Amino acid sequence: MTDASISVELSELPEPKPFDPKMRRAPDRGMTLNSHDTKVALANALRYVPPEHHEIVAPEFLEELRTRGRIYGYRYRPEGRIWGRPIDHYRGRITEARAMQVMIDNNLDFEVALYPYELVTYGESGQVCQNWMQYLLIRRYLETMDDTQTLVVSSGHPLGLFPSRPEAPRAIITNGLMVGMFDTPEDFHRLAALGCVNYGQMTAGGWMYIGPQGIVHGTYITLLNAGRLYLGVPEDGNLAGKTFVTSGLGGMSGAQPKALEIAGGAGIVAEVDPSRVATRHSQGWVSKVTDDLGTSVRWMLEAAGRGEALSIAYQGNVVDLLEYLDANNVPVDLLSDQTSCHVPYDGGYTPAGLGFEEGRQLLATDREGFAELVDQSLRRHFAVLRRLTDKGAHFWDYGNAFMKAVFDAGTPEIAKNGIDTGEGFIWPSYVEDIMGPMCFDYGYGPFRWVCLSGNPQDLHKTDAAAMGCIDPTRRGQDRDNWQWISDAESNALVVGTQARILYADAEGRTAIARSFNRMVRSGEIGPVMMGRDHHDTGGTDSPFRETANIYDGSNTVADMSHHCWAGNAARGMTMAVLSNGGGVGTGKAINGGFGLVLDGSERVERILDTALEWDVMGGVARRAWARNDNAIDTVVDWNRANGGRGHVTVPNISDTSLLDRLVD
């Protein structure tokens, strides 16, 4: 047990610290609080600070609120670089607590985080926690806790350490869970300014982000399968000679150029923020850079003509790029978009006609004017995409709420029925056509692991062990996985901690996790944090993304994500996380995630008996009940193999001709 008295309070007053002018900063979120709410916001932030420091700190907090729209507590940010150091460099009584510190700090690494000073990891607004006082308190609790305690974190606020047991989670985390009638962007914005909610995105507030690598395998699979589905690329082929045009080089979207080159294609990614272009180019995630439209298109066409893989960053607006392609009748095979359209009016989408800094300035001085320009640009964006798809290009929504943003901008014709979004949109989301039927319905999703030692050799060994667990002849997905992991090291995917991403099903994840746990037990590698993106088979309910291929009417029901979260907590995952939001924005998704520290113990072996299987198959079961053919096949196979352990309910399929005859 711990000492009788636990003290983690922020009794000291740190000195103010300078900002590195080269670092990206979050935009002003807008000060919209009235006098009463402003006082509440200040009182809420001052709860972390001893009263003797309030006279000094309160004016700073008010200035942050007025100029940034949020209270971040910059004074309390630790001095120097934050990064995911090797686990042995952290203080703590148990491995799990030190592992969580590694993950938190990796999310805030200057090389990883989008706006590190504002604790934003990725997705324009996805934060580890709300302010630096919370960060310090979380760290102190983790340095103190033992395996009889659970840390409870509510929207970034460490509620406290509570008595628990070794088999229970070490952290229960929630982010921004709103009561239904108040779950609106406007209410969320107000509560974020008050310091009451945190937008955890999918893995920022769940502490499982691993940089752009965390999405690159899924992006690679999406591109490869888009080629197979739309362009007739053979199962064992790649995108050589094919072209792809999209936008975004941020935390998630920055995976696109790397994935495109791995898939063998040639393409252009438009990005308005010069710092993001520079970052991705310096990291080797995009090969060529230009701010000239003609040059970018020429490079793409020449590479495709030679069958060479090439990624190009066009530093400029994607609408300008698309209109250039249209005006010059440039043929393009594949089109998508990864601007941050879940927050288009908060800086996630820069309108055509404005440079990046111009957009930020207008956002700070005239939010209504900025919003009107966003709407105008989205309407232009839609119009040119429609012209290009009429010419033969294939477009899909990349789960960033782009089509919903276009609809909200006053373009009802993007809806299938021309009236509302209830029947979907005229173009598919990537989950509807690709990831849903080809991956999620079989249980394949973004499984990941982090070598907590920080040793690249540990990552090399885990790659080899994972390959040994994959039978490339079992399914096409396994063939793709085997190829992916065999090439992973040569593709130089690591940004931040020594981590890897691999789309795997329940059987594959469990086999790999057991292999790693044995390696930790034998001393071959250090401990490993295993988890996934919440964008997975059963983790997230989101009608515009993860549940976009659920057609029984339940795509807006959030039971699955809650079941996933509760089941993971019950089975003893190290971290069990439930959040409002994700890539499509608050109010449009609920997502559940987890992290599990593989420490070599028998306790972890017992968790692996059921935990990963539940985490995946709970989602496949829901998809099967929605009458998804591939999911039904998967649960029938599972039932056959697990007759003595459990059973998934299988739907009876009705005759559509009977229904047509009765209703029509």
Side-chain angles (χ1 to χ4, degrees):
M1 292 292 294
T2 57
D3 297 337
S5 177
I6 297 174
S7 178
V8 296
E9 286 72 23
L10 304 180
S11 57
E12 65 279 4
L13 181 66
E15 290 296 317
K17 302 170 186 67
F19 297 98
D20 183 342
K22 298 192 296 294
M23 293 308 302
R24 289 183 298 268
R25 301 293 303 281
D28 176 5
R29 304 298 186 184
M31 171 54 170
T32 57
L33 300 181
N34 60 29
S35 176
H36 172 269
D37 281 355
T38 299
K39 294 174 186 176
V40 172
L42 290 171
N44 286 348
L46 290 169
R47 289 180 290 192
Y48 298 100
V49 179
E52 60 267 26
H53 299 152
H54 286 189
E55 285 287 343
I56 296 173
V57 172
E60 296 178 4
F61 288 173
L62 180 59
E63 179 67 12
E64 291 175 16
L65 193 58
R66 286 173 171 167
T67 61
R68 315 297 301 186
R70 299 284 188 277
I71 295 173
Y72 297 111
Y74 291 123
R75 174 189 284 268
Y76 287 89
R77 185 186 187 278
E79 191 77 51
R81 180 188 175 198
I82 295 175
W83 57 289
R85 295 171 293 162
I87 189 170
D88 290 342
H89 288 234
Y90 290 89
R91 292 197 298 269
R93 300 180 178 187
I94 55 174
T95 301
E96 295 93 331
R98 289 183 284 118
M100 286 186 271
Q101 293 178 67
V102 176
M103 302 304 294
I104 291 170
D105 283 358
N106 183 62
N107 279 15
L108 295 171
D109 187 337
F110 276 7
E111 293 296 314
V112 173
L114 177 61
Y115 305 129
Y117 286 125
E118 288 77 37
L119 301 110
V120 174
T121 302
Y122 72 104
E124 193 58 39
S125 53
Q127 292 179 283
V128 169
C129 51
Q130 297 178 65
N131 58 58
W132 289 105
M133 296 83 76
Q134 291 176 347
Y135 168 88
L136 290 180
L137 278 180
I138 289 169
R139 188 174 72 183
R140 293 182 185 186
Y141 274 123
L142 292 175
E143 290 173 346
T144 302
M145 77 184 307
D146 65 24
D147 66 359
T148 67
Q149 297 167 322
T150 293
L151 175 64
V152 179
V153 181
S154 174
S155 271
H157 169 64
L159 201 63
L161 278 181
F162 291 86
S164 187
R165 54 193 175 86
E167 294 77 20
R170 298 281 69 82
I172 297 288
I173 304 169
T174 57
N175 289 289
L177 300 179
M178 309 274 286
V179 174
M181 69 178 288
F182 302 101
D183 196 0
T184 68
E186 295 75 22
D187 281 313
F188 198 96
H189 180 83
R190 172 176 171 269
L191 288 169
L194 287 174
C196 296
V197 296
N198 183 54
Y199 189 71
Q201 254 282 356
M202 304 194 89
T203 50
W207 309 343
M208 275 302 303
Y209 190 64
I210 59 170
Q213 183 185 181
I215 194 64
V216 71
H217 190 194
T219 309
Y220 163 77
I221 290 172
T222 300
L223 290 170
L224 205 55
N225 283 319
R228 292 163 177 165
L229 182 66
Y230 301 132
L231 307 176
V233 171
E235 288 297 308
D236 59 351
N238 65 9
L239 296 185
K242 309 300 183 185
T243 55
F244 175 55
V245 173
T246 184
S247 64
L249 288 173
M252 301 289 281
S253 55
Q256 293 180 108
K258 171 73 82 171
L260 176 64
E261 289 198 356
I262 295 172
I268 306 169
V269 184
E271 171 58 65
V272 293
D273 183 350
S275 72
R276 297 189 193 187
V277 174
T279 296
R280 296 301 174 224
H281 188 242
S282 67
Q283 291 172 341
W285 281 61
V286 67
S287 292
K288 301 186 82 168
V289 174
T290 181
D291 60 3
D292 182 75
L293 285 166
T295 300
S296 66
V297 172
R298 177 171 53 82
W299 284 345
M300 176 182 72
L301 294 177
E302 288 175 352
R306 295 190 296 266
E308 294 178 0
L310 179 66
S311 63
I312 302 150
Y314 164 63
Q315 188 172 303
N317 197 290
V318 66
V319 177
D320 295 330
L321 173 59
L322 295 173
E323 289 178 343
Y324 180 91
L325 296 170
D326 177 48
N328 290 277
N329 290 312
V330 177
V332 178
D333 296 310
L334 303 172
L335 293 168
S336 193
D337 183 85
Q338 277 203 40
T339 47
S340 293
C341 281
H342 64 290
V343 283
Y345 308 116
D346 292 327
Y349 183 96
T350 299
L354 292 182
F356 178 71
E357 291 300 332
E358 287 179 294
R360 290 303 166 96
Q361 183 61 33
L362 184 61
L363 179 62
T365 58
D366 183 6
R367 294 183 72 86
E368 289 186 6
F370 179 82
E372 176 54 35
L373 290 180
V374 167
D375 286 346
Q376 291 176 17
S377 185
L378 284 166
R379 293 193 289 268
R380 273 176 63 186
H381 202 154
F382 167 74
V384 68
L385 282 173
R386 197 162 206 181
R387 294 195 297 272
L388 289 169
T389 54
D390 285 346
K391 293 178 180 179
H394 298 273
F395 174 83
W396 67 87
D397 182 299
Y398 221 136
N400 59 338
F402 170 75
M403 291 193 290
K404 179 64 164 63
V406 169
F407 180 87
D408 292 342
T411 313
E413 55 265 38
I414 199 170
K416 230 175 232 187
N417 60 17
I419 300 170
D420 57 40
T421 63
E423 297 175 33
F425 300 96
I426 63 171
W427 294 309
S429 83
Y430 75 123
V431 172
E432 284 182 281
D433 269 17
I434 301 168
M435 300 307 293
M438 296 183 179
C439 291
F440 292 166
D441 286 354
Y442 289 104
Y444 288 82
F447 168 68
R448 61 183 59 179
W449 65 89
V450 175
C451 295
L452 296 166
S453 68
N455 186 346
Q457 279 304 307
D458 278 9
L459 186 59
H460 176 80
K461 292 173 183 176
T462 56
D463 282 347
M467 281 184 65
C469 295
I470 300 170
D471 176 4
T473 66
R474 184 172 70 123
R475 274 200 192 113
Q477 293 93 332
D478 293 300
R479 181 196 61 239
D480 289 345
N481 276 343
W482 193 92
Q483 190 62 52
W484 169 262
I485 205 71
S486 68
D487 295 339
E489 192 168 317
S490 62
N491 284 326
L493 300 170
V494 172
V495 177
T497 54
Q498 297 295 313
R500 189 67 75 222
I501 181 78
L502 175 68
Y503 267 62
D505 65 353
E507 181 180 333
R509 297 182 202 199
T510 303
I512 291 169
R514 288 194 189 282
S515 176
F516 291 175
N517 201 49
R518 287 193 297 268
M519 294 166 72
V520 176
R521 186 183 308 138
S522 68
E524 187 177 351
I525 60 173
V528 174
M529 173 70 87
M530 183 196 65
R532 56 165 170 76
D533 194 321
H534 306 187
H535 167 62
D536 195 39
T537 295
T540 299
D541 292 293
S542 174
F544 301 119
R545 198 159 85 173
E546 284 77 10
T547 50
N549 73 317
I550 299 289
Y551 301 111
D552 68 348
S554 70
N555 61 332
T556 58
V557 175
D559 289 343
M560 179 177 70
S561 52
H562 287 81
H563 289 162
C564 180
W565 175 70
N568 284 339
R571 288 164 176 80
M573 296 294 201
T574 305
M575 301 187 296
V577 187
L578 188 68
S579 304
N580 177 5
V584 293
T586 181
K588 303 183 182 74
I590 299 292
N591 62 76
F594 79 89
L596 176 63
V597 176
L598 306 179
D599 60 5
S601 68
E602 290 298 329
R603 177 184 60 84
V604 167
E605 284 293 327
R606 291 192 296 273
I607 293 172
L608 293 175
D609 287 341
T610 60
L612 297 182
E613 189 173 43
W614 157 251
D615 187 64
V616 173
M617 289 306 299
V620 177
R622 188 270 180 93
R623 293 170 183 278
W625 192 242
R627 299 187 294 273
N628 292 10
D629 291 340
N630 294 339
I632 292 174
D633 292 342
T634 304
V635 299
V636 167
D637 289 343
W638 189 88
N639 284 345
R640 189 179 298 119
N642 293 275
R645 297 176 66 236
H647 185 83
V648 174
T649 307
V650 180
N652 294 303
I653 307 301
S654 55
D655 184 344
T656 56
S657 64
L658 168 65
L659 305 182
D660 291 341
R661 188 169 71 251
L662 286 172
V663 177
D664 298 334

